[in-house]
Amino acid sequence: MTATAFLQYCLAGISIGGIYALIAIGYTMVYGILRLINFAHGDIFMMAAYFMIFAMVDFALPWYVSIGIVLVATVVLGVVIERVAYKPLRSAPRMSIMISAIGVSYLLQNLATYLFSALPKGYPKIEFLTKSITIGSISTSVVTFITPILTLAFVFLLMQLINHTKIGMAMRAVSKDFETSQLMGIKINRVISFTFVIGCFLAAVGSILYFTPRPSVYPLVGSLPGTKCFIAAVFGGIGSIPGAMLGGFVIGLSETFIKAAGYSEFSDVFTFILLIVVLLFKPTGLFGEKITEKV
């Protein structure tokens, strides 16, 4: 492998890893607040792709207007799901809300099938993101180049928000002790809604970056990326935002180099092997904290 090819694969791996990281942050933030694995998160990512098709293809809106619509619509969808499917079960056993999340996942998949059919639909071309650029001896697209930059920027801003703002302090308090935070006067519903806003916003950004270089969208397209992003969150330590970012980059680079080596059929298998290894040797992930259950 030449140095140019190696750098090309590194850039591609970091780019797809950045997308995984953005989606994984949604998993890790919701788990940090509610101790819930939001199994519908991958399908929210899928619905964001259909929102873009709806805006650019059906209504022929320009890409910059469509992106705004996709971000808003995805955030609204996520907040509605939290209010309708998760909020009523907040005091129910943990298994109940988890089953509800699985039910929402299947609901979104079947709703997409009903509204848009099971046939793949072409993802609209965003001219700005598909332009080719050359960096030294490496030729790539704008979307591949800016994805890791956007990921790092969003993670930096998110960490600043969590560590240096009032709502961030409330989020940290709720993640440590839900009941005590409620007794201390923290508006739990506001914190949870804000968490879903951030997670769904990042999922929408990830969806735009993920599907721009890909030809089509179908109702089950969010399942595998969603699972990989969940594994990325577990690998880094679910509940840890930097851990989710690291997990996304590790999985993105690994699967890119496995495909480059000619073993593309094993690229997805490696992700699940990584999950098993992490659970065997460090169940809390690289940056995860051991949680002591209250009796």
Side-chain angles (χ1 to χ4, degrees):
M1 182 185 295
T2 64
T4 300
F6 177 78
L7 292 174
Q8 193 95 35
Y9 288 131
C10 281
L11 183 58
I14 292 172
S15 179
I16 188 66
I19 296 169
Y20 290 160
L22 289 174
I23 304 166
I25 289 170
Y27 279 105
T28 207
M29 289 187 66
V30 170
Y31 182 84
I33 300 294
L34 288 176
R35 296 291 180 261
L36 162 70
I37 304 299
N38 184 16
F39 289 106
H41 197 60
D43 300 293
I44 292 172
F45 161 82
M46 171 270 296
M47 289 298 293
Y50 277 113
F51 291 150
M52 180 62 81
I53 294 172
F54 192 69
M56 286 193 71
V57 177
D58 295 345
F59 279 89
L61 296 173
W63 65 266
Y64 47 87
V65 176
S66 299
I67 287 176
I69 290 172
V70 169
L71 296 176
V72 173
T74 308
V75 166
V76 169
L77 176 64
V79 172
V80 169
I81 288 171
E82 190 278 323
R83 291 291 175 88
V84 174
Y86 301 155
K87 184 180 177 182
L89 298 173
R90 205 167 289 165
S91 58
R94 192 75 52 81
M95 187 60 69
S96 300
I97 194 168
M98 189 173 293
I99 291 170
S100 178
I102 295 171
V104 171
S105 174
Y106 283 110
L107 172 65
L108 291 177
Q109 290 175 11
N110 284 276
L111 182 64
T113 303
Y114 175 76
L115 294 175
F116 309 110
S117 84
L119 297 174
K121 287 188 174 292
Y123 195 77
K125 187 176 181 181
I126 302 175
E127 295 291 342
F128 165 68
L129 294 176
T130 54
K131 288 180 180 177
S132 295
I133 57 173
T134 303
I135 307 166
S137 58
I138 301 173
S139 180
T140 187
S141 62
V142 171
V143 67
T144 302
F145 178 72
I146 68 170
T147 295
I149 298 172
L150 285 175
T151 301
L152 292 172
F154 278 126
V155 169
F156 174 78
L157 292 173
L158 188 54
M159 294 305 296
Q160 293 299 309
L161 182 145
I162 290 173
N163 292 321
H164 302 290
T165 65
K166 189 175 180 180
I167 186 68
M169 187 184 298
M171 291 169 71
R172 283 185 283 130
V174 173
S175 68
K176 291 292 183 184
D177 195 317
F178 191 95
E179 290 80 9
T180 303
S181 299
Q182 197 167 18
L183 291 172
M184 293 295 290
I186 292 176
K187 296 178 180 178
I188 299 293
N189 291 333
R190 182 186 171 201
V191 171
I192 292 172
S193 295
F194 189 71
T195 302
F196 273 83
V197 166
I198 293 174
C200 293
F201 175 85
L202 294 178
V205 174
S207 176
I208 295 167
L209 298 173
Y210 181 85
F211 288 107
T212 292
R214 287 167 176 78
S216 61
V217 180
Y218 54 94
L220 298 180
V221 74
S223 298
L224 186 57
T227 304
K228 288 181 179 180
C229 296
F230 168 64
I231 294 172
V234 172
F235 175 79
I238 194 158
S240 168
I241 292 172
M245 181 182 69
L246 177 62
F249 283 134
V250 168
I251 290 176
L253 283 166
S254 299
E255 72 173 34
T256 300
F257 278 102
I258 289 171
K259 289 177 181 177
Y263 299 101
S264 57
E265 63 272 19
F266 296 110
S267 62
D268 295 334
V269 175
F270 171 81
T271 306
F272 294 98
I273 292 173
L274 182 64
L275 175 63
I276 294 169
V277 171
V278 170
L279 293 177
L280 284 174
F281 294 100
K282 203 173 189 307
T284 57
L286 295 182
F287 301 111
E289 296 179 0
K290 188 174 178 60
I291 297 170
T292 304
E293 293 289 343
K294 296 182 179 66
V295 180

